């Protein structure tokens, strides 16, 4: 008899609308016929944040019956469940409260960690992370109008994850938070390029951003990837393998090979920092796209409404400018640590370059958008630069604490097998 495959579906979310996204993926699973297999058992893990939208637990826990009929077990992780898991680490895993706080404290890295922890405890084989603003469709521009195609996301991951530690899909849609900018005498293209170079890393760079801006903020799916339909190994570049935090599957069958997420306090980049730990891990890019609805403008896709053209996202509304501002803050908060990890020998020189570029361009950005708070980006940079060595120690301590979990889980499994 074939062995059961336990598959986890993980959401680290603060949006009440995640339930609509979950419903879409459940229909997607039905369409791919995965739910008809007796071998595959589906488990839902939701780590929710009540503060993002001033929500109540019921906004995440109460999911309509039809959506849950193919889910074998569901686990909802709020503040109460997080406290309980933290106590487990201290009382059963022999951790200090500081170590437990690094793993299950604040931020989305911690929410991802507790999902992985709960999945490991429950014998999940493969865990796919999905985002609450990404949908299982691909959009291309091979004609005058947008062309849409459904994507069997989980099926593609399951085809390849057995031969990898991590599989990661592709993204299209509004991936970049940078809107279309109409340059003028206040903010010229060369100024904006200097700003992006200050914020950039191996993922965010001027060439990529310029191409996306020309498309009005839209990234279209690569038809070559869709037609070729093959997985490719993700190379290590500058001591990191680029992965994203969603459309991402972790192979949990060998806990010793599972690594934790980390981000500096109040920053993001948990996927980026995991990417710096994967030198000896097999990471595959699988041909499965998700559409990233970064500005929340295309939720009607969940109802089956497929637009023939995607709108330019222009920097002419408060919402769009605010998202760009938050992205700038988010990027600059984790840039010092990222450079410290991947290019420490040139760290001081690079930080001096970042500072000079920010001082040169941020006053122009403030005038262009009519918002003085863009100068906060420089203050955030200085703060995270000052604390980079502490953040690096926390990152190393997070990995060491996580090793205590996986060592004990492996030991328990060996004892069960022996009995």
């Amino acid at each position: 008899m074939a062995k059961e495959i336990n598959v986890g579906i993980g959401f680290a979310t603060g949006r009440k609308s995640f339930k609509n996204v979950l419903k879409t993926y459940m229909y997607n699973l039905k369409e791919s016929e995965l739910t008809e297999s007796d071998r595959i058992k589906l488990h839902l893990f939701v780590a929710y944040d009540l503060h993002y939208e001033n929500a109540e637990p019921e906004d995440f826990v109460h999911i309509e019956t039809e959506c849950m009929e193919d889910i074998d077990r569901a686990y909802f992780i709020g503040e109460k469940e997080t406290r309980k898991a933290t106590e487990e680490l201290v009382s059963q895993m022999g951790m200090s409260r500081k170590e437990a706080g690094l793993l299950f404290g604040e931020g989305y890295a911690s929410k991802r960690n507790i999902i992985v922890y709960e999945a490991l405890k429950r014998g999940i084989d493969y865990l796919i992370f999905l985002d609450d603003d990404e949908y299982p469709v691909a959009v291309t521009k091979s004609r005058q109008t947008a062309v849409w195609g459904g994507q069997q996301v989980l099926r593609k991951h399951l085809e390849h994850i057995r031969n990898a530690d991590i599989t990661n899909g592709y993204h299209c849609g509004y991936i970049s938070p940078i809107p279309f900018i109409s340059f003028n005498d206040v903010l010229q293209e060369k100024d904006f390029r200097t700003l992006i170079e200050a914020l950039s890393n191996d993922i965010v760079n001027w060439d990529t951003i310029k191409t996306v801006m020309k498309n009005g903020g839209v990234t279209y799916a690569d038809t070559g990837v869709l037609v070729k339909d093959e997985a490719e190994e993700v190379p290590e570049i500058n001591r990191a393998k680029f992965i994203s935090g969603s459309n991402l599957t972790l192979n949990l069958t060998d806990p010793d090979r599972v690594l934790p997420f980390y981000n500096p306090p109040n920053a993001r980049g948990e996927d980026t920092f995991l990417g710096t730990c994967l030198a000896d891990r097999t990471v595959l890019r699988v041909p499965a796209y998700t559409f990233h609805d970064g500005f929340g403008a295309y939720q009607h896709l969940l109802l089956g409404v497929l637009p023939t053209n995607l709108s330019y996202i222009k920097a002419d509304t408060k919402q769009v400018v605010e998202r760009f501002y938050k992205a700038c803050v988010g990027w600059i908060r984790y840039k010092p640590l990222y450079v410290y990890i991947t290019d420490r020998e040139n760290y001081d020189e690079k930080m001096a370059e970042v500072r000079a570029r920010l001082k040169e361009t941020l006053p122009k950005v403030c005038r262009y958008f009519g918002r003085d708070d863009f100068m906060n980006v420089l203050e955030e940079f200085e703060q995270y630069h000052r604390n980079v060595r502490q953040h690096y120690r926390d990152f190393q301590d997070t990995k060491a604490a996580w090793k205590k979990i996986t060592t004990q889980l492996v030991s328990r499994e060996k004892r069960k097998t022996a009995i």
Side-chain angles (χ1 to χ4, degrees):
M1 183 175 177
K3 179 182 179 293
E4 283 185 355
I5 301 173
N6 289 293
V7 177
I9 300 171
F11 283 92
T13 181
R15 292 188 177 99
K16 305 172 189 178
S17 60
F18 104 92
K19 291 186 286 189
N20 297 327
V21 179
L22 173 62
K23 182 189 295 186
T24 298
Y25 275 101
M26 293 313 298
Y27 282 127
N28 180 256
L29 289 173
K30 285 180 183 289
E31 191 270 336
S32 66
E33 301 179 347
L34 281 178
T35 56
E36 296 179 11
S37 172
D38 292 333
R39 290 183 60 209
I40 296 177
K41 304 298 181 184
L42 297 176
H43 306 255
L44 177 65
F45 296 85
V46 181
Y48 56 86
D49 176 8
L50 298 180
H51 306 292
Y52 186 78
E53 288 187 342
N54 193 26
E56 298 293 333
E58 291 74 19
D59 294 319
F60 302 95
V61 173
H62 291 164
I63 301 174
E64 56 188 85
T65 304
E66 180 186 3
C67 190
M68 298 295 288
E69 62 184 10
D70 292 308
I71 298 291
D72 288 273
R73 292 291 303 272
Y75 307 91
F76 298 94
I77 306 166
E79 293 179 359
K80 176 182 176 182
E81 292 77 15
T82 300
R83 286 195 298 270
K84 180 181 177 182
T86 300
E87 290 303 319
E88 281 184 12
L89 297 188
V90 174
S91 62
Q92 300 178 25
M93 300 282 183
M95 288 192 195
S96 67
R97 293 203 172 272
K98 179 182 178 182
E99 289 175 314
L102 286 171
L103 291 174
F104 297 163
E106 299 295 326
Y108 278 82
S110 294
K111 286 184 168 39
R112 293 184 187 277
N113 284 338
I114 198 166
I115 288 175
V116 179
Y117 172 68
E118 296 293 341
L120 283 168
K121 283 201 310 180
R122 288 164 173 78
I124 301 302
D125 298 301
Y126 310 114
L127 172 66
I128 184 169
F129 277 105
L130 301 171
D131 264 2
D132 53 22
D133 58 357
E134 292 190 358
Y135 320 140
V137 290
V139 61
T140 63
K141 196 67 181 289
S142 53
R143 304 175 187 172
Q144 290 299 312
T145 58
V147 179
W148 297 86
Q151 299 289 287
Q152 296 186 348
V153 176
L154 185 52
R155 177 177 283 280
K156 285 297 179 187
H157 282 272
L158 290 180
E159 286 176 6
H160 299 284
I161 188 60
R162 297 178 197 181
N163 302 314
D165 296 290
I166 292 175
T167 54
N168 194 197
Y170 293 83
H171 299 78
C172 60
Y174 296 93
I175 302 170
S176 170
I178 300 178
F180 178 79
I181 303 289
S182 296
F183 299 113
N184 57 24
D185 292 340
V186 174
L187 185 67
Q188 299 179 33
E189 181 175 327
K190 63 181 180 65
D191 301 320
F192 199 68
R193 175 174 183 165
T194 300
L195 173 67
I196 296 302
E197 288 172 344
L199 301 170
S200 68
N201 50 48
D202 292 330
I203 303 164
V204 181
N205 60 69
W206 173 245
D207 291 338
T208 302
I209 294 301
K210 186 175 181 179
T211 300
V212 172
M213 283 177 57
K214 285 182 178 179
N215 287 330
V218 183
T219 299
Y220 289 98
D222 185 339
T223 54
V225 170
L226 296 171
V227 172
K228 191 177 180 182
D229 195 30
E230 294 179 0
E232 297 181 350
E233 187 158 359
V234 176
E236 184 177 38
I237 300 173
N238 295 337
R239 300 175 185 170
K241 295 184 180 182
F242 166 55
I243 58 171
S244 60
S246 68
N247 196 358
L248 176 80
T249 298
L250 308 181
N251 188 333
L252 306 185
T253 57
D254 182 356
D256 268 338
R257 296 185 67 79
V258 181
L259 294 159
F261 292 91
Y262 172 81
N263 53 249
N266 301 312
R268 290 297 298 265
E270 66 272 14
D271 46 3
T272 301
F273 292 113
L274 177 59
T276 66
C277 306
L278 303 177
D280 62 345
R281 301 297 196 268
T282 300
V283 183
L284 297 180
R285 186 85 62 211
V286 298
Y289 271 95
T290 52
F291 179 90
H292 184 70
D293 187 17
F295 294 90
Y298 286 91
Q299 293 186 31
H300 51 270
L301 282 170
L302 300 175
L303 302 175
V305 180
L306 304 178
T308 55
N309 289 287
L310 294 175
S311 303
Y312 266 50
I313 299 297
K314 298 180 181 179
D316 57 2
T317 68
K318 183 178 180 180
Q319 176 193 12
V320 171
V321 175
E322 178 68 12
R323 186 169 189 268
F324 174 55
Y325 167 73
K326 288 181 177 179
C328 292
V329 171
W331 283 331
I332 207 63
R333 279 177 174 171
Y334 75 75
K335 177 151 187 177
L337 180 58
Y338 183 77
V339 175
Y340 190 80
I341 292 170
T342 60
D343 193 12
R344 194 176 311 176
E345 54 269 31
N346 297 307
Y347 176 80
D348 291 332
E349 178 184 346
K350 287 197 170 184
M351 293 302 99
E353 290 175 356
V354 170
R355 182 181 296 107
R357 287 169 174 162
L358 292 177
K359 286 183 176 180
E360 176 187 347
T361 58
L362 286 176
K364 299 176 183 179
V365 174
C366 289
R367 290 198 299 273
Y368 182 86
F369 289 113
R371 289 182 51 158
D372 292 340
D373 56 353
F374 271 92
M375 289 305 299
N376 293 339
V377 175
L378 179 58
E379 295 179 14
E380 295 286 345
F381 164 73
E382 296 293 4
Q383 177 184 343
Y384 281 78
H385 166 52
R386 285 194 302 271
N387 294 322
V388 69
R389 288 167 180 79
Q390 180 60 55
H391 295 160
Y392 180 74
R393 287 193 292 271
D394 288 343
F395 185 31
Q396 300 305 312
D397 290 344
T398 298
K399 290 186 283 186
W402 185 263
K403 185 64 177 175
K404 291 183 179 181
I405 292 177
T406 56
T407 298
Q408 292 207 35
L409 290 175
V410 169
S411 177
R412 289 176 187 178
E413 192 60 34
K414 288 180 178 177
R415 286 198 297 270
K416 286 181 184 178
T417 304
I419 294 172

